[in-house]
PDB file of all heavy atoms in Angstrom:
ATOM      1  N   ASP A 212     -22.601  -6.019  27.061  1.00  0.00           N
ATOM      2  CA  ASP A 212     -21.897  -6.899  26.121  1.00  0.00           C
ATOM      3  C   ASP A 212     -22.829  -7.925  25.489  1.00  0.00           C
ATOM      4  O   ASP A 212     -23.746  -8.429  26.128  1.00  0.00           O
ATOM      5  CB  ASP A 212     -20.782  -7.665  26.864  1.00  0.00           C
ATOM      6  CG  ASP A 212     -19.522  -6.826  27.025  1.00  0.00           C
ATOM      7  OD1 ASP A 212     -19.241  -6.013  26.131  1.00  0.00           O
ATOM      8  OD2 ASP A 212     -18.819  -6.995  28.037  1.00  0.00           O
ATOM      9  N   PHE A 213     -22.558  -8.216  24.240  1.00  0.00           N
ATOM     10  CA  PHE A 213     -23.204  -9.346  23.575  1.00  0.00           C
ATOM     11  C   PHE A 213     -22.603 -10.633  24.150  1.00  0.00           C
ATOM     12  O   PHE A 213     -21.487 -10.622  24.669  1.00  0.00           O
ATOM     13  CB  PHE A 213     -22.921  -9.322  22.060  1.00  0.00           C
ATOM     14  CG  PHE A 213     -23.621  -8.244  21.299  1.00  0.00           C
ATOM     15  CD1 PHE A 213     -23.426  -6.909  21.594  1.00  0.00           C
ATOM     16  CD2 PHE A 213     -24.464  -8.569  20.245  1.00  0.00           C
ATOM     17  CE1 PHE A 213     -24.059  -5.909  20.853  1.00  0.00           C
ATOM     18  CE2 PHE A 213     -25.108  -7.578  19.508  1.00  0.00           C
ATOM     19  CZ  PHE A 213     -24.909  -6.252  19.809  1.00  0.00           C
ATOM     20  N   LYS A 214     -23.310 -11.736  24.014  1.00  0.00           N
ATOM     21  CA  LYS A 214     -22.741 -13.018  24.429  1.00  0.00           C
ATOM     22  C   LYS A 214     -21.565 -13.381  23.530  1.00  0.00           C
ATOM     23  O   LYS A 214     -21.656 -13.257  22.304  1.00  0.00           O
ATOM     24  CB  LYS A 214     -23.792 -14.134  24.326  1.00  0.00           C
ATOM     25  CG  LYS A 214     -24.866 -14.064  25.403  1.00  0.00           C
ATOM     26  CD  LYS A 214     -25.819 -15.259  25.281  1.00  0.00           C
ATOM     27  CE  LYS A 214     -27.028 -15.058  26.164  1.00  0.00           C
ATOM     28  NZ  LYS A 214     -28.075 -16.065  25.910  1.00  0.00           N
ATOM     29  N   SER A 215     -20.469 -13.852  24.127  1.00  0.00           N
ATOM     30  CA  SER A 215     -19.303 -14.351  23.375  1.00  0.00           C
ATOM     31  C   SER A 215     -18.837 -13.386  22.297  1.00  0.00           C
ATOM     32  O   SER A 215     -18.527 -13.789  21.184  1.00  0.00           O
ATOM     33  CB  SER A 215     -19.618 -15.706  22.706  1.00  0.00           C
ATOM     34  OG  SER A 215     -20.227 -16.577  23.601  1.00  0.00           O
ATOM     35  N   GLY A 216     -18.797 -12.091  22.628  1.00  0.00           N
ATOM     36  CA  GLY A 216     -18.315 -11.114  21.645  1.00  0.00           C
ATOM     37  C   GLY A 216     -19.172 -11.051  20.397  1.00  0.00           C
ATOM     38  O   GLY A 216     -18.676 -10.768  19.302  1.00  0.00           O
ATOM     39  N   GLY A 217     -20.453 -11.274  20.564  1.00  0.00           N
ATOM     40  CA  GLY A 217     -21.371 -11.394  19.426  1.00  0.00           C
ATOM     41  C   GLY A 217     -21.521 -10.152  18.570  1.00  0.00           C
ATOM     42  O   GLY A 217     -22.082 -10.221  17.472  1.00  0.00           O
ATOM     43  N   GLU A 218     -21.042  -8.986  19.047  1.00  0.00           N
ATOM     44  CA  GLU A 218     -21.130  -7.793  18.190  1.00  0.00           C
ATOM     45  C   GLU A 218     -20.224  -7.940  16.981  1.00  0.00           C
ATOM     46  O   GLU A 218     -20.360  -7.207  16.001  1.00  0.00           O
ATOM     47  CB  GLU A 218     -20.817  -6.508  18.972  1.00  0.00           C
ATOM     48  CG  GLU A 218     -19.360  -6.301  19.375  1.00  0.00           C
ATOM     49  CD  GLU A 218     -19.028  -6.935  20.702  1.00  0.00           C
ATOM     50  OE1 GLU A 218     -19.724  -7.901  21.102  1.00  0.00           O
ATOM     51  OE2 GLU A 218     -18.067  -6.482  21.353  1.00  0.00           O
ATOM     52  N   LEU A 219     -19.293  -8.905  17.033  1.00  0.00           N
ATOM     53  CA  LEU A 219     -18.414  -9.171  15.890  1.00  0.00           C
ATOM     54  C   LEU A 219     -18.590 -10.604  15.387  1.00  0.00           C
ATOM     55  O   LEU A 219     -17.640 -11.254  14.942  1.00  0.00           O
ATOM     56  CB  LEU A 219     -16.951  -8.888  16.272  1.00  0.00           C
ATOM     57  CG  LEU A 219     -16.617  -7.415  16.515  1.00  0.00           C
ATOM     58  CD1 LEU A 219     -15.156  -7.235  16.898  1.00  0.00           C
ATOM     59  CD2 LEU A 219     -16.917  -6.552  15.286  1.00  0.00           C
ATOM     60  N   VAL A 220     -19.830 -11.097  15.456  1.00  0.00           N
ATOM     61  CA  VAL A 220     -20.146 -12.422  14.931  1.00  0.00           C
ATOM     62  C   VAL A 220     -21.443 -12.307  14.149  1.00  0.00           C
ATOM     63  O   VAL A 220     -22.414 -11.723  14.647  1.00  0.00           O
ATOM     64  CB  VAL A 220     -20.308 -13.464  16.071  1.00  0.00           C
ATOM     65  CG1 VAL A 220     -20.705 -14.824  15.508  1.00  0.00           C
ATOM     66  CG2 VAL A 220     -19.044 -13.569  16.898  1.00  0.00           C
ATOM     67  N   GLY A 221     -21.463 -12.842  12.949  1.00  0.00           N
ATOM     68  CA  GLY A 221     -22.684 -12.825  12.162  1.00  0.00           C
ATOM     69  C   GLY A 221     -23.701 -13.807  12.724  1.00  0.00           C
ATOM     70  O   GLY A 221     -23.315 -14.849  13.269  1.00  0.00           O
ATOM     71  N   ALA A 222     -24.990 -13.495  12.599  1.00  0.00           N
ATOM     72  CA  ALA A 222     -26.103 -14.362  13.017  1.00  0.00           C
ATOM     73  C   ALA A 222     -26.177 -14.467  14.536  1.00  0.00           C
ATOM     74  O   ALA A 222     -25.162 -14.575  15.211  1.00  0.00           O
ATOM     75  CB  ALA A 222     -25.985 -15.769  12.407  1.00  0.00           C
ATOM     76  N   ASP A 223     -27.386 -14.446  15.063  1.00  0.00           N
ATOM     77  CA  ASP A 223     -27.542 -14.530  16.523  1.00  0.00           C
ATOM     78  C   ASP A 223     -27.679 -15.979  16.964  1.00  0.00           C
ATOM     79  O   ASP A 223     -28.743 -16.430  17.417  1.00  0.00           O
ATOM     80  CB  ASP A 223     -28.756 -13.712  16.986  1.00  0.00           C
ATOM     81  CG  ASP A 223     -28.855 -13.692  18.505  1.00  0.00           C
ATOM     82  OD1 ASP A 223     -27.834 -13.980  19.176  1.00  0.00           O
ATOM     83  OD2 ASP A 223     -29.943 -13.419  19.033  1.00  0.00           O
ATOM     84  N   LEU A 224     -26.583 -16.712  16.873  1.00  0.00           N
ATOM     85  CA  LEU A 224     -26.606 -18.128  17.269  1.00  0.00           C
ATOM     86  C   LEU A 224     -26.754 -18.286  18.772  1.00  0.00           C
ATOM     87  O   LEU A 224     -27.203 -19.320  19.245  1.00  0.00           O
ATOM     88  CB  LEU A 224     -25.311 -18.807  16.807  1.00  0.00           C
ATOM     89  CG  LEU A 224     -25.162 -18.930  15.282  1.00  0.00           C
ATOM     90  CD1 LEU A 224     -23.766 -19.372  14.915  1.00  0.00           C
ATOM     91  CD2 LEU A 224     -26.195 -19.915  14.752  1.00  0.00           C
ATOM     92  N   LYS A 225     -26.372 -17.278  19.541  1.00  0.00           N
ATOM     93  CA  LYS A 225     -26.443 -17.367  21.003  1.00  0.00           C
ATOM     94  C   LYS A 225     -27.818 -16.967  21.520  1.00  0.00           C
ATOM     95  O   LYS A 225     -28.083 -17.038  22.717  1.00  0.00           O
ATOM     96  CB  LYS A 225     -25.379 -16.456  21.629  1.00  0.00           C
ATOM     97  CG  LYS A 225     -23.951 -16.820  21.249  1.00  0.00           C
ATOM     98  CD  LYS A 225     -23.512 -18.115  21.906  1.00  0.00           C
ATOM     99  CE  LYS A 225     -22.110 -18.488  21.425  1.00  0.00           C
ATOM    100  NZ  LYS A 225     -21.680 -19.783  21.950  1.00  0.00           N
ATOM    101  N   ARG A 226     -28.691 -16.485  20.602  1.00  0.00           N
ATOM    102  CA  ARG A 226     -30.064 -16.127  20.967  1.00  0.00           C
ATOM    103  C   ARG A 226     -30.097 -15.207  22.190  1.00  0.00           C
ATOM    104  O   ARG A 226     -30.523 -15.605  23.283  1.00  0.00           O
ATOM    105  CB  ARG A 226     -30.906 -17.382  21.205  1.00  0.00           C
ATOM    106  CG  ARG A 226     -30.716 -18.471  20.129  1.00  0.00           C
ATOM    107  CD  ARG A 226     -31.713 -19.592  20.237  1.00  0.00           C
ATOM    108  NE  ARG A 226     -33.024 -19.167  19.758  1.00  0.00           N
ATOM    109  CZ  ARG A 226     -33.353 -19.058  18.474  1.00  0.00           C
ATOM    110  NH1 ARG A 226     -32.478 -19.352  17.521  1.00  0.00           N
ATOM    111  NH2 ARG A 226     -34.546 -18.636  18.125  1.00  0.00           N
ATOM    112  N   GLU A 227     -29.625 -13.989  21.997  1.00  0.00           N
ATOM    113  CA  GLU A 227     -29.562 -13.002  23.087  1.00  0.00           C
ATOM    114  C   GLU A 227     -30.919 -12.915  23.806  1.00  0.00           C
ATOM    115  O   GLU A 227     -31.956 -12.759  23.171  1.00  0.00           O
ATOM    116  CB  GLU A 227     -29.207 -11.609  22.537  1.00  0.00           C
ATOM    117  CG  GLU A 227     -27.849 -11.497  21.874  1.00  0.00           C
ATOM    118  CD  GLU A 227     -26.697 -11.476  22.876  1.00  0.00           C
ATOM    119  OE1 GLU A 227     -26.952 -11.395  24.089  1.00  0.00           O
ATOM    120  OE2 GLU A 227     -25.532 -11.561  22.416  1.00  0.00           O
ATOM    121  N   GLU A 228     -30.909 -12.976  25.139  1.00  0.00           N
ATOM    122  CA  GLU A 228     -32.163 -12.969  25.903  1.00  0.00           C
ATOM    123  C   GLU A 228     -32.744 -11.573  26.039  1.00  0.00           C
ATOM    124  O   GLU A 228     -33.952 -11.407  26.194  1.00  0.00           O
ATOM    125  CB  GLU A 228     -31.935 -13.587  27.277  1.00  0.00           C
ATOM    126  CG  GLU A 228     -31.857 -15.111  27.190  1.00  0.00           C
ATOM    127  CD  GLU A 228     -30.918 -15.692  28.237  1.00  0.00           C
ATOM    128  OE1 GLU A 228     -30.804 -15.071  29.316  1.00  0.00           O
ATOM    129  OE2 GLU A 228     -30.291 -16.731  27.957  1.00  0.00           O
ATOM    130  N   THR A 229     -31.852 -10.570  26.025  1.00  0.00           N
ATOM    131  CA  THR A 229     -32.342  -9.189  26.030  1.00  0.00           C
ATOM    132  C   THR A 229     -31.777  -8.520  24.779  1.00  0.00           C
ATOM    133  O   THR A 229     -30.751  -8.952  24.258  1.00  0.00           O
ATOM    134  CB  THR A 229     -31.841  -8.429  27.280  1.00  0.00           C
ATOM    135  OG1 THR A 229     -30.407  -8.502  27.286  1.00  0.00           O
ATOM    136  CG2 THR A 229     -32.379  -9.071  28.555  1.00  0.00           C
ATOM    137  N   PRO A 230     -32.426  -7.483  24.288  1.00  0.00           N
ATOM    138  CA  PRO A 230     -31.930  -6.833  23.063  1.00  0.00           C
ATOM    139  C   PRO A 230     -30.525  -6.283  23.285  1.00  0.00           C
ATOM    140  O   PRO A 230     -30.245  -5.691  24.336  1.00  0.00           O
ATOM    141  CB  PRO A 230     -32.938  -5.688  22.843  1.00  0.00           C
ATOM    142  CG  PRO A 230     -34.148  -6.056  23.624  1.00  0.00           C
ATOM    143  CD  PRO A 230     -33.666  -6.848  24.785  1.00  0.00           C
TER     144      PRO A 230
END
Side-chain angles (χ1 to χ4, degrees):
Chain A
D212 278 327
F213 289 59
K214 287 184 191 170
S215 313
E218 71 272 25
L219 292 179
V220 177
D223 185 19
L224 293 170
K225 299 289 176 184
R226 315 190 75 78
E227 297 285 352
E228 283 148 30
T229 57

